[in-house]
Amino acid sequence: MAFIEFNNICVDFPIYNVNSRSVKKRLIQVATGGHLGIDQTGCVVVRALEGLNFTLKDGDRLGLLGHNGAGKSTLLRLLSGVYESSFGSCRIVGEIGSLIDISLGIDPEANGRENIFIRGGLLGMTKSDISKKINDIIDFSELGNFIDMPVRTYSTGMHLRLAFAVSTIVRPEILLMDEWLSVGDEGFRHKAEARMSELVQSASILVMASHSRELVMNTCNRAIWLEHGKVRMDGTSQEVCAAYFG
Amino acid sequence: MAIVLGWKTPFEAFSELLQYKIETNLLMINNYIIAALSDLVATARCYALVGMLGWQDVRQRYRRSALGPFWLTISMAIMIGTMGIVFGQIFKAPLTEFFPFLAVGIILWSFISTIVSEGCVGFIVAEGIIKQLPLPLSVHILRMMWRNVLILGHNIVILPLVFLAVGKPFTLVAFISIPGFILLVVNLTWIALILGVICARYRDLPQIVGSIMQVGFYLTPIMWMPNLLSDRAGLYLLPLNPVFHLLEIVRSPLLGQFPTMNNWVVSLALALIGWVMALTIYGRYKRRIAYWL
């Protein structure tokens, strides 16, 4: 049973190394990004998210739509627990897994096997968990003997295959994604696609930021359109896509 | 009397306000400490990850070199050898005494100063992980501590060699350095935790801390032995140096002497006061750290 409840959530980013006076002069609406403002102490703040209210229950597949800087990634990070909101309260029940940066933690000097342990450890798996699954991971990545070579010798595609194979081994209740992951050549792509579908299906709640109409229409049953950190529209994916993509 | 009955005197009002302030502040501090402790407990749960990342750091640095981490040992040994000969001559110290003293001092000092300077950037260098994964933040500080303990483990190999070379016997007293070392690590952890938090916000601080550590190296008896000081004034100032006490609880047992009661008391007091401070600061600001990076 997974559950997410956001109550009037705001996120402000303090920015310390800019001259607040020069920013004060041009506190105009900018085309991209959140609202710039000045807090009580005179520090420049960017309001990345403002007044977010929504609830997600089991079976919800939420698509996040919006321009660059609308607050999609910030919202994903808020959900993953990296950021804590500046105002408002949120309640998240369920184990969270994120597929936002699947290459994080990979050490190019270490070999593929060591990297599986590093990456798996960062994802919260224990050593024995990984040992049990390592053969599956290696088989899936199709890296063969390269698994014992340093990752710096890998091509970009091989690097991504390894990262993908490890990162998709976990089965979180709440899955966070920034665009659909697709890696590798023609043959691998099919396998990866199947793995991704399986991962998404096993998750109770999916939150995915995307710029693709088809993806949101096909995967999600609900969508939120963010603009300047505020909810512009919240509804079924059909409704929101129709309004957003026009 | 200008005070009307039923009114509080300004003094009473003030003391009541003060009491209220103190009570609410204590309550807040209590909450911060609980938040910080729960973070540390979460870190303790993923000790395997901390251990792996620490090893990983050491290995990564020396990945393609034949001798690997033992380069640390070699360069440390060369430094100790050179300094021992030069400063032994200058101070006209008996080599049997001075060489082990210098070796232990330098090895421990490099441990302390590396932790302090890496503690400053503990959260800054982990920006990538902090912004992507909701790991408890103290993982990054403990990873740094563990990495340095491992490096110290490599450097400690020099000690038996030095002791053999000058013919100084190891005594059983040396085992007292184990609790001493634990107390030193406990102290260094709170220092790294506080510095990590403050330096993530104020990026000039690591430079300042760097210079202070350099001064600390000369003010602490590492290159010079306190009993060689001719000027007694220096000796009166020595107990004011907290690093001296922390160093002494590990170094003097290794050299066959018991640390003084003073050394223990100061080190313990530092650990207690420091941890209360560190937990308060860390608990108060840990949720802001991701925003500062």
Side-chain angles (χ1 to χ4, degrees):
Chain A
M1 158 69 198
F3 185 74
I4 298 173
E5 187 183 15
F6 270 38
N7 247 324
N8 199 23
I9 291 280
C10 290
V11 172
D12 287 336
F13 283 96
I15 298 174
Y16 296 111
N17 44 3
V18 289
N19 181 359
S20 63
R21 242 182 265 163
S22 70
V23 177
K24 234 181 245 173
K25 281 183 204 149
R26 334 180 241 114
L27 280 184
I28 40 164
Q29 282 255 14
V30 273
T32 170
H35 287 288
L36 288 172
I38 310 277
D39 74 359
Q40 304 93 320
T41 56
C43 173
V44 178
V45 289
V46 177
R47 176 148 287 190
L49 290 173
E50 189 171 350
L52 249 57
N53 287 297
F54 62 85
T55 317
L56 296 175
K57 294 180 292 294
D58 277 342
D60 276 350
R61 267 107 191 79
L62 174 67
L64 295 175
L65 294 166
H67 297 294
N68 296 130
K72 303 188 296 294
S73 298
T74 307
L75 180 53
L76 286 178
R77 283 181 181 172
L78 198 63
L79 284 167
S80 76
V82 167
Y83 291 140
E84 278 184 49
S85 56
S86 311
F87 305 100
S89 64
C90 70
R91 202 158 72 86
I92 299 174
V93 183
E95 189 196 339
I96 298 170
S98 108
L99 287 183
I100 296 174
D101 183 1
I102 57 166
S103 300
L104 178 75
I106 287 193
D107 170 13
E109 291 293 336
N111 68 32
R113 226 175 266 277
E114 289 170 315
N115 270 306
I116 291 176
F117 279 97
I118 297 170
R119 184 72 196 135
L122 285 174
L123 290 172
M125 289 194 271
T126 64
K127 216 168 183 170
S128 58
D129 274 350
I130 305 170
S131 303
K132 264 181 244 157
K133 288 175 179 159
I134 191 158
N135 286 328
D136 291 345
I137 297 174
I138 296 171
D139 286 345
F140 187 85
S141 68
E142 296 174 12
L143 285 169
N145 292 333
F146 265 95
I147 201 71
D148 293 310
M149 299 283 281
V151 168
R152 75 188 143 83
T153 61
Y154 289 17
S155 71
T156 319
M158 289 160 77
H159 189 120
L160 278 174
R161 279 186 191 203
L162 180 70
F164 181 87
V166 194
S167 305
T168 52
I169 206 83
V170 287
R171 290 286 176 271
E173 290 170 85
I174 301 172
L175 181 63
L176 309 175
M177 271 170 29
D178 199 347
E179 292 293 350
W180 192 263
L181 281 178
S182 78
V183 289
D185 46 31
E186 198 50 42
F188 193 78
R189 199 180 291 263
H190 285 297
K191 250 171 63 174
E193 202 66 29
R195 171 74 72 95
M196 282 301 291
S197 306
E198 186 200 326
L199 186 61
V200 166
Q201 255 154 34
S202 74
S204 303
I205 295 179
L206 169 77
V207 182
M208 179 177 66
S210 178
H211 291 291
S212 153
R213 179 179 196 148
E214 289 77 51
L215 188 57
V216 175
M217 294 281 269
N218 294 336
T219 340
C220 305
N221 55 19
R222 185 174 166 189
I224 287 180
W225 175 2
L226 289 172
E227 200 172 74
H228 295 303
K230 288 181 203 154
V231 176
R232 167 91 180 258
M233 194 177 172
D234 181 356
T236 65
S237 47
Q238 278 84 3
E239 285 166 16
V240 180
C241 277
Y244 179 73
F245 293 104
Chain B
M1 290 271 281
I3 300 145
V4 188
L5 271 175
W7 283 64
K8 290 177 196 133
T9 62
F11 176 73
E12 273 172 350
F14 178 73
S15 68
E16 230 168 70
L17 186 73
L18 195 70
Q19 197 182 356
Y20 171 75
K21 283 253 172 183
I22 289 172
E23 271 168 16
T24 47
N25 277 338
L26 278 180
L27 205 69
M28 296 275 269
I29 287 173
N30 211 12
N31 289 341
Y32 296 148
I33 288 179
I34 289 169
L37 282 176
S38 67
D39 185 275
L40 284 169
V41 168
T43 298
R45 282 221 192 93
C46 48
Y47 66 94
L49 178 67
V50 175
M52 186 182 66
L53 291 174
W55 266 114
Q56 164 75 9
D57 285 338
V58 178
R59 253 186 279 160
Q60 192 175 22
R61 267 187 226 182
Y62 298 93
R63 184 68 74 168
R64 284 196 243 175
S65 76
L67 286 176
F70 281 97
W71 275 116
L72 296 169
T73 318
I74 295 169
S75 59
M76 180 66 81
I78 292 172
M79 182 157 93
I80 291 170
T82 326
M83 285 178 87
I85 291 163
V86 173
F87 287 97
Q89 294 287 321
I90 294 174
F91 294 135
K92 298 196 178 47
L95 229 53
T96 10
E97 286 301 309
F98 185 65
F99 235 116
F101 176 85
L102 182 77
V104 179
I106 295 260
I107 289 171
L108 286 175
W109 175 260
S110 86
F111 176 69
I112 294 171
S113 70
T114 317
I115 285 179
V116 170
S117 57
E118 287 186 359
C120 287
V121 291
F123 293 122
I124 299 172
V125 295
E127 178 178 353
I129 297 183
I130 290 176
K131 283 196 173 173
Q132 295 294 348
L133 293 173
L135 289 174
L137 290 179
S138 43
V139 162
H140 308 293
I141 295 295
L142 289 184
R143 163 195 190 169
M144 183 275 299
M145 295 294 299
W146 176 235
R147 170 174 75 220
N148 280 300
V149 169
L150 290 174
I151 292 174
L152 178 72
H154 285 93
N155 282 335
I156 216 85
V157 179
I158 301 171
L159 284 189
L161 296 178
V162 170
F163 277 63
L164 264 178
V166 297
K168 188 179 167 75
F170 248 127
T171 51
L172 281 179
V173 184
F175 286 103
I176 294 180
S177 65
I178 295 171
F181 178 71
I182 293 170
L183 191 51
L184 172 68
V185 170
V186 166
N187 269 300
L188 288 174
T189 312
W190 73 254
I191 295 172
L193 200 55
I194 290 188
L195 285 175
V197 173
I198 303 177
C199 292
R201 169 68 182 82
Y202 299 100
R203 300 296 172 95
D204 295 297
L205 208 61
Q207 320 299 330
I208 299 171
V209 172
S211 337
I212 293 174
M213 288 310 282
Q214 235 162 23
V215 175
F217 177 70
Y218 294 106
L219 290 183
T220 314
I222 298 163
M223 282 198 317
W224 47 274
M225 294 176 85
N227 57 8
L228 289 179
L229 274 189
S230 51
D231 182 7
R232 292 282 137 183
L235 281 185
Y236 289 119
L237 291 175
L238 202 51
L240 294 177
N241 181 353
V243 189
F244 167 67
H245 297 285
L246 290 175
L247 198 63
E248 213 49 8
I249 53 170
V250 191
R251 180 173 57 188
S252 52
L254 284 173
L255 299 176
Q257 288 148 1
F258 287 96
T260 63
M261 203 57 199
N262 242 345
N263 296 151
W264 287 112
V265 170
V266 172
S267 304
L268 269 173
L270 272 177
L272 278 176
I273 298 167
W275 267 105
V276 171
M277 251 164 50
L279 290 174
T280 313
I281 293 177
Y282 181 62
R284 168 84 175 79
Y285 292 109
K286 92 183 151 72
R287 34 177 306 193
R288 303 294 306 158
I289 292 172
Y291 286 99
W292 290 338
L293 293 173

